[in-house]
Amino acid sequence: MRSNTVSILATGLTGGLACLAACLWPLTPGNASDHFEAPLVQADPAMDITDLYLFGGSAGKTVAVINYAGLNQSLTQPTQSGTYSDQALYTLHIDNTGDDVEDLQVHVRFGRDSGGNWGVQVTGLPGSDGPLSGPVEQVLTDGSGNMLFAGRRDDPFFFDAQGYLDTLSSGDLMIRNDRDFLAGMNCTSIVLEFDTAAALQGGSALGCWATSGRLQ
Amino acid sequence: MKQATIRMNMKHAALATLALVSLAGCGGGGNGDGDDGFAFSTASASQYVQIDSHAMPEAGTALIEAANGLGGTALRDSYNSMSPTQRGSSFNAEIGASLELFHTALDDDLTGLGLSPATPQLALSQGAPLVVPEVMRYNPAQPASFPNGRALSDRVVDITLAVVLLDLTAQGQGVTTFADLPLNPAGNDKAFLPAFPYLAAPHDS
């Protein structure tokens, strides 16, 4: 039933979707992130943010997921380890007054111990008294119930990028709902769960964006 | 390649010191007291150069690159280096041109399917609030459902396509017109976890 509907769409949208592919979601296999990115970002997977998610966690908590080091020309998929850099700073910017200027910054950094093991640290997590840190690939919790995880995960983004490519080359709409270009691929994820009221600071909504920075 | 080698060496080093760590009794970690032996940079945020910025799904890809065709450009690097307020309206022409390209090509096809495309003006008024400024808005009093925040399972590509292509005020069509089909895959290849950290385990091969 559904694929019939898609076929009908496919028949009708032929030429237009070729442009859609070219113009809107330009992707090529092995060279895509955001999932297609600019030169500075492609060169450094640790800097390459692919997605931001924002949703409710356990009672009174908000979850923010920052994914990076996903589909990137400098990585082979599926990745076999997380991508960590002690030269990187990841920031979740939070506006809680509706003026699109950040009121809070949550900072995430990676560092190693004397044995060379990677650890992760978050500072400024709303509702936390101080920094929360520990090994990567583990769920870390502080006394307030805030949580932190950093590690390699399945890339949760789904999209028929191949359909766009085929559309481009053939001139026919070939977007399919049974083909997920990101299936089988990983990313490195930073998952934060924090106190919603502490993030809102009396406001009614959050405005968020994520950035990556490299130490000068 | 070089990074992978370094990580491999670290792993060996880690194994070698595992016994020592256990003896010292600090192998548990994760209590967040900062006393876990990891060395984190104490450089202030201002000492980092912003390389990438991201809020809305594929926003930069779709609307900043569109008028330039395929490929990342210096313009995109510039976009990524700025905060929402720094960008202000300076990318509006770029975004408008992308939407116009899009509608010039697609409107007759949408009409042929019995759908009502948005006029260029309407496409801008429907789409621009999502990306100018590029901030992900989330009212926690409402369930997360893109564009109110973004849940892991949200069909964001299909929703975004509808917002920029369709007249959302027209009878029988709305933000979920494409997602209801769906046009792209309905969901992720792996089931999400019901609890923290929510994301599915990685693929190992």
Side-chain angles (χ1 to χ4, degrees), chain A residues 20-43:
Chain A
L20 181 151
C23 302
L24 211 65
W25 272 275
L27 292 169
T28 51
N31 187 358
S33 194
D34 182 286
H35 287 73
F36 186 93
E37 266 295 354
L40 290 176
V41 177
Q42 281 290 355

Side-chain angles (χ1 to χ4, degrees), chain B residues 45-201:
Chain B
S46 63
Q47 293 175 265
Y48 293 80
V49 181
Q50 182 172 317
I51 303 294
D52 200 2
S53 176
H54 186 87
M56 300 300 271
E58 310 298 331
T61 304
L63 297 171
I64 301 306
E65 287 300 326
N68 294 319
L70 290 168
T73 65
L75 181 70
R76 181 75 181 282
D77 276 332
S78 166
Y79 181 90
N80 283 337
S81 74
M82 296 182 188
S83 73
T85 47
Q86 282 172 328
R87 286 174 201 141
S89 59
S90 56
F91 291 89
N92 285 11
E94 181 72 18
I95 292 166
S98 301
L99 288 176
E100 202 170 315
L101 269 174
F102 207 20
H103 277 276
T104 301
L106 281 179
D107 281 1
D108 55 341
D109 303 292
L110 293 168
T111 305
L113 289 169
L115 296 167
S116 301
T119 62
Q121 230 170 5
L122 188 58
L124 201 60
S125 69
Q126 289 176 172
L130 292 184
V131 291
V132 184
E134 195 197 333
V135 172
M136 182 178 285
R137 301 179 197 284
Y138 174 51
N139 176 355
Q142 305 295 326
S145 179
F146 184 78
N148 183 42
R150 179 183 179 185
L152 294 171
S153 57
D154 287 341
R155 297 173 183 172
V156 294
V157 176
D158 283 358
I159 290 169
T160 306
L161 280 176
V163 169
V164 299
L165 287 179
L166 301 178
D167 178 350
L168 299 178
T169 67
Q171 180 95 31
Q173 61 185 35
V175 294
T176 63
T177 295
F178 292 136
D180 288 344
L181 292 173
L183 193 59
N184 278 281
N188 191 40
D189 57 321
K190 280 190 142 190
F192 298 119
L193 310 181
F196 195 90
Y198 306 104
L199 299 166

Side-chain angles (χ1 to χ4, degrees), chain A residues 38-101:
Chain A
L40 290 176
V41 177
Q42 281 290 355
D44 188 351
M47 293 288 104
D48 187 358
I49 298 175
T50 56
D51 281 287
L52 172 67
Y53 297 83
L54 203 56
F55 53 93
S58 53
K61 302 286 186 183
T62 293
V63 180
V65 178
I66 301 169
N67 285 340
Y68 67 95
L71 189 53
N72 180 291
Q73 65 187 18
S74 306
L75 291 174
T76 301
Q77 287 286 356
T79 55
Q80 298 300 304
S81 62
T83 297
Y84 311 112
S85 169
D86 58 9
Q87 305 294 298
L89 174 72
Y90 302 89
T91 305
L92 178 68
H93 306 257
I94 302 175
D95 163 39
N96 55 30
T97 56
D99 62 358
D100 306 315
V101 176

